[in-house]
């Protein structure tokens, strides 16, 4: 599933043709994706100006002049492409042409900017929903999300408080969207390796224990290193256009290329890239997901 950097890359690709433009035509070409489309899905979109295009965790959020918000999730295989009258596509070493089979083109937005925005989703695990902005706080898909890892409020102190007393593994805690929103398996593995922390480490070790009868919650050096690594790996991945594993494409049709900068993910059997380590990257299954780590330098 695309993670935060991939979704942010898509947002930046859609922004120039979507933000400030009117949705002249909206088409839902089937009754459902992962969930059924609302009966008034098309009518609430058509004719509306997109006043802003944002992101919350792995969700794209288009603010509409009506006061509604179009919530969009890519699911497992969903992707957008932008079709302009001159059919321009950004060239690049990792450019892949889009398939011409429109069977899986399920949603279309024709914008006043002159672009058609097409949502293609072969597996149909993506979804879209129109929500009144004043109802967002009560929206089940959003209300339990934790802080944005690149937001100003997310720091070592906040992460320590969220993990205080947790007996689960550190990796499981970071994948919990209530602890921090938008992180997935790839970037959690990468951040743990860069901060030299074991994915098996108990999450509570990010916070001090405190005196008897007095709460701890102060961030340890582990928490500070981990937050710094999360910031670094996410920003690097966004600059690289995300990671292309199986289905992810940028809106231009190009592959992201952060996968060429992986330090540990999908590198089983290779030498650890940490200077002076000399260890070997191992893989094991943790909570049903593949975990890649170096047991020599990640403690």
């Amino acid at each position: 599933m695309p993670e935060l950097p991939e979704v942010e890359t898509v947002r930046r690709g859609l922004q120039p043709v979507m933000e400030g433009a009117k949705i002249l035509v909206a088409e839902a070409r089937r009754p459902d994706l992962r969930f059924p489309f609302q009966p008034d899905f098309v009518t609430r979109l058509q004719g509306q100006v997109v006043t802003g295009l944002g992101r919350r965790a792995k969700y794209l959020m288009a603010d509409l002049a009506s006061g509604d918000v179009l919530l969009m999730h890519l699911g497992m295989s969903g992707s957008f492409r932008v079709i302009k009258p001159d059919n321009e596509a950004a060239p690049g070493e990792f450019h892949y042409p889009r398939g011409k089979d429109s069977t899986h083109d399920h949603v279309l937005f024709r914008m006043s900017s002159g672009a058609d925005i097409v949502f293609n989703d072969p597996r149909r695990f993506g979804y879209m929903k129109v929500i009144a902005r004043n109802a967002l706080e009560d929206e089940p898909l959003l209300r339990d999300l934790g802080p944005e890892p690149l937001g100003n409020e997310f720091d070592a102190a906040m992460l320590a408080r969220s993990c205080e007393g947790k007996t689960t593994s550190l990796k499981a805690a970071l994948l919990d969207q209530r602890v921090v929103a938008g992180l997935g398996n790839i970037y959690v593995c990468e951040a743990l390796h860069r901060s030299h922390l074991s994915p098996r480490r108990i999450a509570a070790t990010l916070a001090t224990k405190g005196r008897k009868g007095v709460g701890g919650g102060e961030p340890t050096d582990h928490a500070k290193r981990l937050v710094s690594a999360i910031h670094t790996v996410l920003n690097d991945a966004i600059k690289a256009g995300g990671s292309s594993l199986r289905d992810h494409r940028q809106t231009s049709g190009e592959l992201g290329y952060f996968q060429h900068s992986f330090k540990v993910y999908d590198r089983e059997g290779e030498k650890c890239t940490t200077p002076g380590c000399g260890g070997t990257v191992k893989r094991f299954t943790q909570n049903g997901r593949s975990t890649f780590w170096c047991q020599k330098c990640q403690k």
Side-chain angles (χ1 to χ4, degrees):
M1 182 178 293
E3 301 181 25
L4 186 154
E6 288 74 56
V7 178
E8 178 62 19
T9 300
V10 172
R11 186 195 71 81
R12 295 182 184 190
L14 292 176
Q15 190 174 28
V17 295
M18 202 170 190
E19 200 168 81
K22 180 184 289 188
I23 303 174
L24 301 177
V25 177
E27 293 181 9
R29 295 175 174 174
R30 55 174 298 112
D32 59 6
L33 291 172
R34 183 174 180 181
F35 308 119
F37 287 109
Q38 298 151 293
D40 59 353
F41 178 78
V42 168
T43 58
R44 290 174 73 175
L45 295 176
Q46 203 151 276
Q48 291 300 318
V49 173
V50 178
T51 58
L53 185 63
R55 179 192 54 75
R56 177 71 171 106
K58 302 176 186 179
Y59 293 94
L60 292 167
M61 302 176 67
D63 283 287
L64 306 177
S66 63
D68 283 335
V69 176
L70 171 60
L71 190 71
M72 299 172 280
H73 195 283
L74 298 175
M76 295 293 292
S77 63
S79 62
F80 287 95
R81 71 180 185 273
V82 176
I83 304 171
K84 298 180 181 179
D86 53 9
N87 201 32
E88 287 185 359
E93 182 181 353
F94 301 97
H95 178 73
Y96 269 50
R98 292 283 179 169
K100 296 182 179 180
D101 185 357
S102 61
T103 303
H104 304 300
D105 289 350
H106 300 313
V107 180
L108 177 140
F109 304 125
R110 180 154 292 149
M111 309 301 298
S112 63
S113 60
D116 283 357
I117 299 171
V118 179
F119 181 68
N120 182 285
D121 189 2
R123 302 183 196 177
R124 300 201 305 275
F125 284 143
Y127 45 93
M128 297 187 187
K129 184 177 183 180
V130 182
I131 308 165
R133 172 153 285 283
N134 58 15
L136 283 179
E137 289 187 3
D138 298 321
E139 171 54 44
L141 296 171
L142 300 174
R143 66 188 175 199
D144 294 327
L145 290 176
E148 288 287 320
L150 294 178
N152 292 331
E153 63 178 356
F154 180 72
D155 58 15
M158 171 172 279
L159 183 59
R161 288 194 299 271
S162 297
C163 290
E164 185 178 11
K166 284 187 179 293
T167 57
T168 186
S169 71
L170 185 51
K171 185 187 178 189
L174 293 175
L175 289 174
D176 185 343
Q177 299 298 294
R178 296 167 298 181
V179 172
V180 56
L183 291 182
N185 196 42
I186 295 173
Y187 298 108
V188 168
C189 287
E190 287 293 302
L192 287 172
H193 180 261
R194 295 181 187 213
S195 58
H196 306 298
L197 296 176
S198 169
R200 291 187 166 119
R201 171 180 282 274
I202 299 300
T205 60
L206 296 187
T208 58
K209 293 181 179 179
R211 301 187 306 276
K212 186 176 181 180
V214 179
E218 292 300 314
T220 62
D221 287 341
H222 303 316
K224 295 172 184 177
R225 293 205 317 266
L226 180 55
V227 167
S228 177
I230 289 171
H231 288 160
T232 299
V233 73
L234 291 180
N235 281 315
D236 286 350
I238 290 170
K239 289 177 184 177
S243 304
S244 293
L245 299 179
R246 298 184 181 176
D247 300 303
H248 174 64
R249 296 287 188 275
Q250 300 180 60
T251 54
S252 65
E254 289 185 346
L255 287 168
Y257 53 91
F258 186 71
Q259 68 273 15
H260 300 298
S261 299
F262 287 163
K263 303 294 186 184
V264 68
Y265 189 85
D266 206 25
R267 293 174 61 96
E268 182 182 9
E270 297 182 26
K271 291 296 182 182
C272 178
T273 58
T274 300
C277 173
T280 302
V281 175
K282 305 289 186 181
R283 184 189 71 85
F284 68 96
T285 301
Q286 189 176 23
N287 302 112
R289 308 294 297 275
S290 289
T291 294
F292 297 89
W293 73 310
C294 174
Q295 60 185 3
K296 184 173 181 180
C297 69
Q298 289 181 252
K299 303 299 183 181

